[in-house]
Amino acid sequence: MKEYRRFVAYVYEYQKEKKGRNCGFIQVEAKEQNCRMEVHLLCPGLLPEEKCEIFGFVRNSGLMDGILVGECRTGESRADCVVETDRESLGGSGIPLEKMGGMILLTESGGFFGTEWDDRAIRPDNFRRVKLQKEKEEGRKKPEMQEEVPEEDRKEPEMQEEIPEESRKEPEMQEGEAVKAPEASEKVTEEAAEASEFQEKKAETEPKGVEPSGQKESSREQMAAQSVAEADVKKRKVEFPHIGEPAEIFEDGEIFDCRKIQLRDLCRLRSRECGLRNNRFLQYGFYNFGHLLLGRNRSGHYILGVPGAYDQQEQFMANMFGFPYFRESRQIQVPKRRGGYWYRLINPPEFH
């Protein structure tokens, strides 16, 4: 039986023979005879409805021989699709996955995108498409294509952009840790509405400034507001359910009441969070670290966290799938990188 393999390779755009910015990733999963390749590109300027050909390549005397494994149609500044092929014969070529050095994506307008996992540089001039003998004679049958990515996942990048501005500024982050998502949306979501309502209610309970002659009255208002806040915190603590495993994750107290939860626990929150079970970034973090994180911040908002590391590539993935914030934690150890949690604000759970 073939060994199970699952890995993520980051895709870069190449222009004039030079490696450019990171603009996506490909997740490769090989189980027994089946090989599944999930492609995600996010590249401003990518034209919609273009044919995008997907190649696996092998090194051959300094050249890169490309084997067509599938194709898809681009969207506005992005491309998402899933290709399935035979692990032992990619695209019917007779060449197994284990001999591949990486993948190349070509668009009709001349876009060149590549990723390698053999630690050797990609040179676009050295790439050539190899036609199979069967293809030359009778035209090769294209591998089966699945639907692009589930609708829930395609919408994930929009969700984090829809978080209100005041919530975006809420965490006290180190420089570069709170980042914007690749796309903007004009639609105000349920999270934004509820967070905004929370801020308005909070403003109503805060003591208002008075003239010096009314200092006593102001003091009473402050004490009353403080009592209301303390009562609210106590009430929240009582209502916080026995879900997951309590854990001390952050030392600064910005995020507290932390609990390590499982993938299945998402359906105990709200229906929207239950849908996040199909979020690829969330799944990737869960399968690597064995848990997710549920907690609250000082403003009273609930957060959902995914364990991982802080670097440019993971930042790109986190933003693409709707987890725009990062907070470091000693509980997550990643060699040569800062471990912690990528997280997003979520609506108050309706525990089931």
Side-chain angles (χ1 to χ4, degrees):
M1 182 180 294
K2 279 286 185 180
E3 177 187 3
Y4 174 76
R5 292 186 66 189
R6 183 173 183 268
F7 60 91
V8 171
Y10 296 98
V11 178
Y12 293 84
E13 183 178 16
Y14 287 79
Q15 294 180 333
K16 297 180 180 179
E17 294 299 304
K18 293 184 178 180
K19 183 178 180 180
R21 61 186 172 183
N22 171 225
C23 57
F25 67 95
I26 298 176
Q27 179 175 287
V28 180
E29 184 175 23
K31 185 176 181 181
E32 297 179 354
Q33 289 297 113
N34 188 58
C35 181
R36 185 175 189 271
M37 301 171 181
E38 185 174 319
V39 179
H40 295 283
L41 284 186
L42 185 62
C43 183
L46 191 64
L47 299 177
E49 293 302 318
E50 278 198 329
K51 183 171 75 171
C52 178
E53 294 182 307
I54 304 166
F55 297 86
F57 70 81
V58 292
R59 308 281 183 175
N60 182 9
S61 301
L63 300 177
M64 299 186 301
D65 290 346
I67 302 161
L68 183 67
V69 295
E71 61 183 43
C72 67
R73 289 284 171 180
T74 61
E76 183 70 40
S77 298
R78 66 184 303 136
D80 300 285
C81 69
V82 176
V83 178
E84 284 195 354
T85 185
D86 190 331
R87 177 178 184 171
E88 294 298 318
S89 180
L90 296 175
S93 65
I95 299 175
L97 172 66
E98 283 67 25
K99 289 189 177 181
M100 280 180 56
M103 299 183 71
I104 298 295
L105 288 79
L106 302 179
T107 65
E108 287 180 310
S109 59
F112 189 103
F113 306 89
T115 181
E116 47 78 18
W117 49 78
D118 60 2
D119 297 325
R120 297 170 61 184
I122 290 177
R123 300 187 182 281
D125 275 353
N126 292 340
F127 177 78
R128 63 181 182 180
R129 173 174 176 163
V130 176
K131 289 190 176 182
L132 308 179
Q133 185 63 31
K134 181 179 178 181
E135 183 181 4
K136 293 178 181 178
E137 295 175 355
E138 57 187 44
R140 183 170 58 82
K141 182 180 179 181
K142 295 180 182 178
E144 177 185 356
M145 298 292 294
Q146 296 182 350
E147 281 296 322
E148 293 189 353
V149 173
E151 184 177 352
E152 293 166 346
D153 282 353
R154 291 205 310 266
K155 293 182 179 178
E156 290 305 324
E158 298 178 2
M159 293 170 65
Q160 61 88 18
E161 186 66 25
E162 297 161 354
I163 297 171
E165 184 177 354
E166 53 266 45
S167 295
R168 191 183 300 281
K169 294 180 180 178
E170 168 273 323
E172 295 180 3
M173 300 237 169
Q174 298 180 10
E175 183 178 357
E177 291 184 346
V179 288
K180 295 182 179 179
E183 298 180 7
S185 174
E186 298 177 359
K187 181 180 177 182
V188 179
T189 63
E190 183 180 348
E191 290 99 324
E194 294 194 11
S196 177
E197 181 181 353
F198 176 86
Q199 294 293 336
E200 292 173 2
K201 290 182 179 180
K202 181 180 177 184
E204 292 174 3
T205 62
E206 289 178 347
K208 300 179 180 179
V210 296
E211 297 296 328
S213 59
Q215 288 182 354
K216 290 185 178 180
E217 183 178 350
S218 177
S219 178
R220 292 195 195 98
E221 291 177 354
Q222 290 177 3
M223 292 177 64
Q226 184 176 356
S227 298
V228 170
E230 290 176 353
D232 183 62
V233 170
K234 290 180 180 179
K235 182 180 178 182
R236 285 177 178 273
K237 286 186 177 181
V238 171
E239 291 178 348
F240 203 94
H242 294 291
I243 181 175
E245 174 189 350
E248 295 293 331
I249 302 296
F250 305 104
E251 299 177 355
D252 57 11
E254 287 293 330
I255 297 177
F256 56 94
D257 278 350
C258 295
R259 290 175 179 267
K260 293 182 178 180
I261 63 173
Q262 300 297 303
L263 202 61
R264 62 179 177 272
D265 292 329
L266 292 176
C267 288
R268 296 185 59 188
L269 308 181
R270 282 177 176 256
S271 57
R272 182 185 294 274
E273 278 65 55
C274 183
L276 288 174
R277 291 177 304 167
N278 296 320
N279 185 294
R280 300 301 182 189
F281 179 74
L282 183 145
Q283 290 179 346
Y284 182 72
F286 175 76
Y287 291 134
N288 278 286
F289 294 92
H291 72 277
L292 303 172
L293 187 70
L294 180 67
R296 288 182 291 179
N297 61 22
R298 287 185 176 180
S299 298
H301 294 117
Y302 281 85
I303 68 100
L304 178 64
V306 177
Y310 187 88
D311 60 30
Q312 182 180 5
Q313 294 176 335
E314 193 146 328
Q315 173 184 322
F316 180 90
M317 288 180 61
N319 275 273
M320 176 177 280
F321 285 100
F323 290 82
Y325 304 119
F326 180 85
R327 185 164 290 278
E328 191 170 355
S329 172
R330 293 184 180 179
Q331 300 298 317
I332 303 297
Q333 298 294 321
V334 181
K336 298 181 180 180
R337 291 188 291 171
R338 295 162 51 198
Y341 291 84
W342 292 96
Y343 70 96
R344 63 187 294 161
L345 303 181
I346 60 173
N347 289 324
E350 294 177 348
F351 297 105
H352 303 295

